[in-house]
Amino acid sequence: VKTPADTVAALCDAHPDVHFMFTCDVPGAAMTTEDVEVKIKGDYDDLSAYLAYIDYMPNLDTMDATDVELTNEQVDDIGARNYGMKLKYSVSAFGLKVSSLSTEVNLDGAPVGSVEEVEEMLARLPNLERVSMCDCGLTEDQMGVLFDSHPDIKFIWYIEFGQYRLRTDATAFTTA
């Protein structure tokens, strides 16, 4: 029998010293309060139905919503909450689909229009440590702004001096 989230909440709140096990009333799949990982399909409403049980799933490590089509506003909404577990979702970044758990993204050659567009992407990808942006359309000054604003993220781009072009992650340079 599937149990609605409000019933689970009421029982758990009324009896905090009791460990309850429930089959959750969620669309499209069977989920129990004992699950460690959950994969979600559907839309934002389906994801919201799963999220209603989060506080009552002590073993849950990862909720994978990469198959759920989310708008930027919906990503902002779910990303702003602290769930105490990994919530994996996809973000559209300059024509690429990127996981919220990604630590690296390669935007080489992607048509990036402004620093602000990159800032929006960075806000939705909190785990990024490295972003390659060679030939993406931003100037050295614009890349410098991103570099200065995000010291925990390694940005890679080309710098040009004279006839030479060098990636910022290069460890050696020769003119031969």
Side-chain angles (χ1 to χ4, degrees):
V1 174
K2 292 184 174 184
T3 310
D6 57 347
T7 302
V8 172
L11 283 169
C12 291
D13 291 345
H15 305 283
D17 54 331
V18 177
H19 178 81
F20 291 98
M21 292 175 35
F22 295 98
T23 299
C24 306
D25 187 14
V26 293
M31 178 177 81
T32 73
T33 52
E34 298 301 302
D35 288 346
V36 174
E37 185 169 344
V38 176
K39 180 132 178 93
I40 304 164
K41 296 180 189 259
D43 59 18
Y44 183 69
D45 291 334
D46 296 332
L47 173 58
S48 295
Y50 282 82
L51 291 174
Y53 288 94
I54 291 298
D55 291 337
Y56 310 102
M57 299 183 70
N59 301 322
L60 188 63
D61 177 64
T62 305
M63 186 171 280
D64 184 345
T66 52
D67 291 337
V68 178
E69 290 294 324
L70 300 171
T71 66
N72 286 340
E73 292 77 20
Q74 291 166 336
V75 168
D76 292 344
D77 179 48
I78 62 171
R81 301 183 212 165
N82 182 7
Y83 295 106
M85 55 91 192
K86 292 178 233 153
L87 177 58
K88 184 177 179 182
Y89 51 88
S90 292
V91 172
S92 179
F94 306 101
L96 301 173
K97 204 171 192 179
V98 182
S99 165
S100 61
L101 302 181
S102 294
T103 58
E104 296 186 20
V105 66
N106 185 335
L107 299 177
D108 291 351
V112 177
S114 69
V115 170
E116 291 76 20
E117 288 176 338
V118 178
E119 292 286 359
E120 286 180 24
M121 177 199 70
L122 295 175
R124 294 182 179 104
L125 297 170
N127 298 303
L128 283 182
E129 298 171 0
R130 179 182 166 100
V131 181
S132 186
M133 298 182 66
C134 297
D135 291 328
C136 69
L138 296 184
T139 66
E140 286 183 38
D141 288 340
Q142 289 173 309
M143 290 304 303
V145 167
L146 289 169
F147 178 82
D148 291 342
S149 299
H150 302 278
D152 294 339
I153 299 175
K154 179 165 180 73
F155 288 95
I156 300 157
W157 72 95
Y158 284 123
I159 55 172
E160 296 184 22
F161 48 99
Q163 66 186 26
Y164 303 108
R165 190 172 200 215
L166 184 67
R167 285 176 56 107
T168 57
D169 64 340
T171 57
F173 175 72
T174 182
T175 61

